[in-house]
Amino acid sequence: MEKKRTKKRRYITGLDGVRTLAVLGVILYHLMPDRMRGGYLGVPVFFGISGYLITDHLRMEWETKGKISLKAFYARRLKRLYPPLVFFLLTTTAYITLFQRNLLNNLKGAVTSALLYVNNWWQINQGMSYFERFTNESPFTHIWYLSVEAQNYLIWPLLFVLLMKIFKKREKIFLVVFIAALASALWMAIAFVPGADPTRVYYGTDTRIFSIWLGSAMAFLWPTSHLRSQIPQKAKQILNTVGIACLIILIASFFFLDAHYTFVYRGGMLLISLVSVLLIMVVAHPGASLNKWLSNPLFSYIGKRSYGIYLYQYPVMIFYEAKVKNIADNVWLHTLIEVILIVLIAEVTYQIIDKPLSRFDYSKTWSTVKGWFEKPLLTWKKAFLLPGIFLVVTALVGFIIAPSNHVTAEQKQMQEQILQNKKVSEESKKKAKETATSDSTAETTSPADAAHLAEIATEYGLSKEDAAAAAKLSFTAFGDSVMLGAAQNMKDLFPDVVVDANVNRQVYSSKDLIQKLADEDLLKDPVVIGLGTNGDFTETQFADFMKLLGDRKVYWLNVHAPSLRIQGVVNSALTKYASSYDNLTIIDWYNYSKDHSDWFYDDQVHLTPEGRIGYTKLLFETLSKK
C-alpha cells in the first residue's frame, strides 16, 4: 500500500520570537560585552531550535513514508544556507580587497574552510580565539557556528535512520540521543582548562553538539504532529509557567553568565541548552500561550532575517570600527549605528538573495546563467549583471592575492620586541631570585654607574637625582602586551624591577600566575598592574585578583585604547573599584598619553619607542611620590 504524503508542518510563529532573542543576545554580546556578558548563549538557543525542527521534520517524514529522502534533505539545507553564505563571502572578500587589505592575510583558509563547513576546526588549528578579537581581528570569526550546524546536518540524517531501524520506539531513541548529548557536555567539562582560553571547547563540534542533540532528543519526546491545541486548563497553566520561567532564566543568563566562568563549561552551557529546549517545546505546543505571546510583526521580521543578521554582524563591526578610531568616546552612538547597518544589510540580502533563491528551481541554473549573457546585455531586467560581475571578479582577485601568515614590517618589529622583552622579563625574575638567596648587601647603584645614570637621566628627561632615585625603586610589574613592550625600558630605569607580562593576558586568567609569583617570593610590595586592554572584568573577578595581592600597595594603569569600546568600560570600573580598596591607586595612563599619538602604533594601543619612554616615566612619577 502506498504511504500517505508527509503532513504539512505547522509554522511555529513564536519561534521567530525565540530567534530574535537569540540573535539580539549574540550581537549585543559583541557590541556591548560589559552589559550583555552572556549574550553568546544565543548560540545554544539557535542550536536547540535547529535540532528540534530538523528532527521533527525527519520524524514526520519517516512516520508518513516509512523512510526519508537523504537527497531531498541535503538539497533543502544547501538551498536554504549556502547561497546567503556564498554571497556573504563574496561581498566581504570584495570589500576587504578594495578597502581593507590588511585583512587579506589568511583569507584563503578562512573562506575555503567556510565553504567546506570546517571553519571551526580551521580556527582551532590556527590558534585563533573567539574571546580575543583585539589580536584575532577577522570578519569571519563567527562562521564557526555554521560549520558546527552543517557538520550535524551531514551526520544526523544517517544517525536518524540508524536509530529508527534499531530502536524503533520513540522513547528509546530519545534516551539514546539524550545520553549522547550528555556525553558531549561531559567531554566539554573534561576538556575545559580553567584559566585558559576556552576557544577549543567553545568551537569544537564534539564539545558543542550537545545543544543540537538535546533539541533532537526532545523532538522524539515532543513531536509537533502529536500536540493538540485543546488541553486541560491546568496543563496550559503548567506549560505557560515553565515557558515563562525558562524565558526569564535565559534573559538573565544573557546579562550575567560571563563566558569566562568555569561553571559555563562544566554544566552551565548544558543547563542553558536544556532551558532553551524547554522554552522551544512550550512555544511549539499549540495549547500553550507562549507561541502567541512571542508572535508579533517585529519578532517575525527579525526572526526571518536572523540568518543574515548573524552573518553580517562581524564584518560591519570590524569594517566600521577600522574607520572610526574613537569608538570609546561615544559607545552608545556607534553601537546604534552598527546595529542599523547590520539590519539594513540583512534586509537587502534577504530581499535580493534569500527570498528569490529560496524559490529558485536549481535545475534551471545553467539556462538562467546563459540567459544573463544573451543580447541585449544591458537591460533593466539585468541591472544586477555588471555589479555582480564586478563583485565576483574583485572577490576572486582578493582571494588569489591573499597571503598566508604574512607579517607586516610593523608587526615584525612588534613581534621582535615582544620576544626580546620576554627575555628581559625572565631575566628580571632570575635576578630577583638570585638576589634573594645572596648574602650580598651591596647597593644596586654604585659610583661607577654615574655615567649610566647620566645617560638614563637624559633619555627620560630626568635629573641625575631622579635617575638615582629610580634605580633604588623595587617593585613587581604584572601586565599584558602593552607592559611587555616597555619591559626593557623599565629594566633600564628600575634595575630591581620584576617584570611578568605577556600578550593576551586578562584579569580572569591571571590568578594562578599571581599565586606563582607569590610562591616564588617574586611578588614585591608595591605591585604595578597593567591589565584591561584585552577585555574587561567583573567586580567578582577583580575582587578575587586583589585578594591574591593581599595588603601590598597596588598601582593599576588604566587603558589607552580609543579604537576599542572597552576603554571606557575598563577605566570607569577601575575608578569605581579604587574607592573600595585603600591599597589601590589608579595610574591615569589614558589622560597622560591621549594627546601623544606618536606614542602609539596604528592600533593606538601598543607603544612606539617614544611611548615606552613616556609609559616608564609615568611609572617613576607615580611611584616616587611620597
Side-chain angles (χ1 to χ4, degrees), residues 104-248:
L104 282 174
N105 193 30
N106 289 325
L107 181 137
K108 288 187 180 76
V111 171
T112 303
S113 62
L115 289 171
L116 296 176
Y117 286 125
V118 292
N119 182 263
N120 60 325
W121 295 111
W122 179 81
Q123 289 197 53
I124 289 171
N125 291 332
Q126 290 287 310
M128 301 181 77
S129 171
Y130 182 72
F131 304 97
E132 304 286 354
R133 212 195 89 189
F134 181 67
T135 54
N136 289 281
E137 186 180 58
S138 170
F140 306 109
T141 296
H142 59 313
I143 300 303
W144 74 269
Y145 157 77
L146 299 179
S147 296
V148 175
E149 282 270 29
Q151 289 161 36
N152 180 68
Y153 291 150
L154 179 65
I155 64 173
W156 179 244
L158 303 174
L159 292 175
F160 177 88
V161 172
L162 189 64
L163 291 169
M164 293 299 291
K165 287 184 177 293
I166 294 175
F167 296 101
K168 296 180 172 46
K169 292 186 177 181
R170 289 188 293 117
E171 293 79 6
K172 289 184 178 180
I173 298 174
F174 159 77
L175 190 60
V176 171
V177 178
F178 189 78
I179 291 173
L182 292 181
S184 170
L186 178 62
W187 177 230
M188 169 181 269
I190 294 171
F192 172 72
V193 179
D197 188 294
T199 296
R200 164 59 185 89
V201 295
Y202 192 84
Y203 277 172
T205 309
D206 52 344
T207 51
R208 291 305 301 272
I209 205 167
F210 65 86
S211 297
I212 304 176
W213 282 1
L214 285 174
S216 297
M218 295 305 177
F220 291 102
L221 201 64
W222 201 263
T224 56
S225 59
H226 294 193
L227 303 176
R228 299 290 175 260
S229 58
Q230 299 301 317
I231 60 174
Q233 187 63 27
K234 184 68 173 177
K236 183 173 185 176
Q237 290 175 352
I238 292 173
L239 284 174
N240 289 342
T241 301
V242 170
I244 292 171
C246 289
L247 199 57
I248 292 172

Side-chain angles (χ1 to χ4, degrees), residues 242-400:
V242 170
I244 292 171
C246 289
L247 199 57
I248 292 172
I249 292 171
L250 199 58
I251 293 173
S253 72
F254 280 11
F255 283 97
F256 302 113
L257 204 53
D258 192 284
H260 296 117
Y261 290 155
T262 297
F263 167 71
V264 170
Y265 307 96
R266 292 186 170 169
M269 195 87 74
L270 174 64
L271 175 63
I272 294 302
S273 297
L274 283 169
V275 168
S276 301
V277 171
L278 285 173
L279 174 62
I280 292 162
M281 291 167 66
V282 174
V283 171
H285 200 297
S289 303
L290 265 292
N291 184 61
K292 181 176 68 176
W293 293 344
L294 291 174
S295 298
N296 60 62
L298 178 62
F299 285 177
S300 177
Y301 179 89
I302 297 175
K304 286 180 170 60
R305 292 155 180 80
S306 58
Y307 183 35
I309 291 172
Y310 183 87
L311 280 176
Y312 289 96
Q313 56 168 320
Y314 248 86
V316 167
M317 286 187 285
I318 288 177
F319 297 157
Y320 179 83
E321 292 172 20
K323 302 300 180 184
V324 181
K325 296 295 186 181
N326 61 338
I327 294 290
D329 291 345
N330 201 329
V331 172
W332 283 98
L333 173 63
H334 294 300
T335 297
L336 177 61
I337 293 172
E338 289 177 76
V339 168
I340 291 172
L341 288 173
I342 291 167
V343 173
L344 283 175
I345 294 171
E347 170 63 20
V348 170
T349 58
Y350 180 76
Q351 296 296 339
I352 67 173
I353 299 296
D354 296 40
K355 280 176 65 176
L357 292 184
S358 67
R359 299 188 293 263
F360 181 67
D361 182 358
Y362 282 86
S363 65
K364 299 179 180 178
T365 300
W366 178 241
S367 61
T368 301
V369 172
K370 282 199 304 181
W372 295 346
F373 297 95
E374 292 176 354
K375 294 181 180 180
L377 286 176
L378 301 178
T379 68
W380 68 270
K381 291 183 179 180
K382 299 178 184 178
F384 64 87
L385 186 58
L386 290 180
I389 292 173
F390 177 77
L391 175 68
V392 172
V393 170
T394 304
L396 284 174
V397 169
F399 185 85
I400 292 169

Side-chain angles (χ1 to χ4, degrees), residues 410-425:
E410 183 176 289
Q411 289 171 334
K412 185 177 181 180
Q413 182 181 358
M414 291 176 65
Q415 288 175 2
E416 290 173 349
Q417 176 194 332
I418 285 171
L419 289 174
Q420 178 184 342
N421 285 355
K422 280 185 177 181
K423 293 178 182 178
V424 172
S425 175

